[in-house]
Amino acid sequence: MNIQQPAAKVNWATGNLEGKKVSKTVRKLKHLEGVFADEEAYSSMDPETVVYEVEVLEQEQPGKEGGLLFGTSYLYPGKVGDEYFMTKGHFHEKRDRAEYYWGIRGSGLLLLMDEQGVTTAEQVFPGSLHYVPGHIAHRLVNTGSEVLAVGACWPSDAGHDYGSIADRGFTARVKESGGKAATETG
Ligand code: F6R
Ligand code: ZN
């Protein structure tokens, strides 16, 4: 029998993925127009500021039915005005596709919003495990002072629907208030 190398290696302390099929996406402030509430603070910041990076093991072609994708997101600490750095957030294009998230490093919140606009939040910390059911939009927020690294595994045909979030946004925001993270709805 021919024993082969695995598809990739994961550094479980940092989340870093290494492998031939690992892709990397960098999201800078300039890619996040309209995401943060304080537009004045947003336009006064360096658009080249990196807000988050995503490594994805594309063992299956994204879009292909039946496979799984696996990734790590690294969300840097920072704020736009008093609002913490966060991911764009999305529903899956195929709405019923679910996903697992798990905390690796740092601390933050996972915002979960249903199609009626009801948003809940879960604490993210090293070892936290989060089930994101289908039909639920999800967004990570870094409320800490170090990088928030979060692992994820999701169906390869899930896709991302960013448009619905760009149109309506999430119904909750996470801001610093009196030195602490506070959620604001409405
Ligand atoms: C995949 C998934 C994550 C996010 C990543 C970046 O379904 O949920 O891998 O894609 O955390 O967030 P977005 O895609 O919202 O920019
Ligand atoms: Zn997702």
Side-chain angles (χ1 to χ4, degrees):
M1 190 179 62
N2 183 11
I3 298 179
Q4 296 180 0
Q5 288 297 314
K9 276 200 313 189
V10 185
N11 179 329
W12 295 106
T14 61
N16 291 125
L17 301 181
E18 243 180 70
K20 286 197 198 95
K21 294 187 178 170
V22 175
S23 73
K24 189 168 166 179
T25 305
V26 180
R27 293 261 183 248
K28 299 181 175 182
L29 270 179
K30 68 180 181 190
H31 302 127
L32 300 173
E33 216 171 324
V35 168
F36 296 95
D38 190 339
E39 282 170 20
E40 210 179 303
Y42 175 80
S43 48
S44 72
M45 292 172 73
D46 180 356
E48 295 299 325
T49 305
V50 175
V51 179
Y52 61 100
E53 296 176 75
V54 188
E55 288 176 335
V56 178
L57 172 61
E58 293 181 345
Q59 194 60 29
E60 297 283 9
Q61 190 63 27
K64 187 186 161 201
E65 197 177 328
L68 294 170
L69 297 173
F70 185 100
T72 305
S73 299
Y74 307 90
L75 179 57
Y76 294 102
K79 280 179 293 178
V80 176
D82 53 8
E83 191 173 21
Y84 295 101
F85 277 7
M86 57 188 171
T87 57
K88 283 171 88 166
H90 58 273
F91 286 101
H92 288 151
E93 207 173 312
K94 285 204 173 144
R95 280 290 193 278
D96 65 350
R97 299 307 195 251
E99 180 163 8
Y100 271 111
Y101 270 22
W102 56 94
I104 298 170
R105 264 194 294 168
S107 59
L109 290 175
L110 170 62
L111 297 183
L112 299 165
M113 183 176 75
D114 70 17
E115 288 169 312
Q116 282 68 50
V118 178
T119 303
T120 57
E122 293 183 4
Q123 296 273 2
V124 184
F125 51 85
S128 64
L129 183 63
H130 310 269
Y131 181 63
V132 182
H135 300 271
I136 298 289
H138 36 294
R139 163 179 277 171
L140 288 167
V141 184
N142 187 345
T143 57
S145 51
E146 54 175 315
V147 65
L148 176 68
V150 175
C153 186
W154 66 100
S156 45
D157 66 348
H160 297 88
D161 171 10
Y162 295 111
S164 305
I165 300 302
D167 292 348
R168 300 195 305 260
F170 271 65
T171 53
R173 293 189 173 274
V174 188
K175 296 183 175 177
E176 187 185 69
S177 171
K180 284 194 309 197
T183 55
E184 204 174 79
T185 50

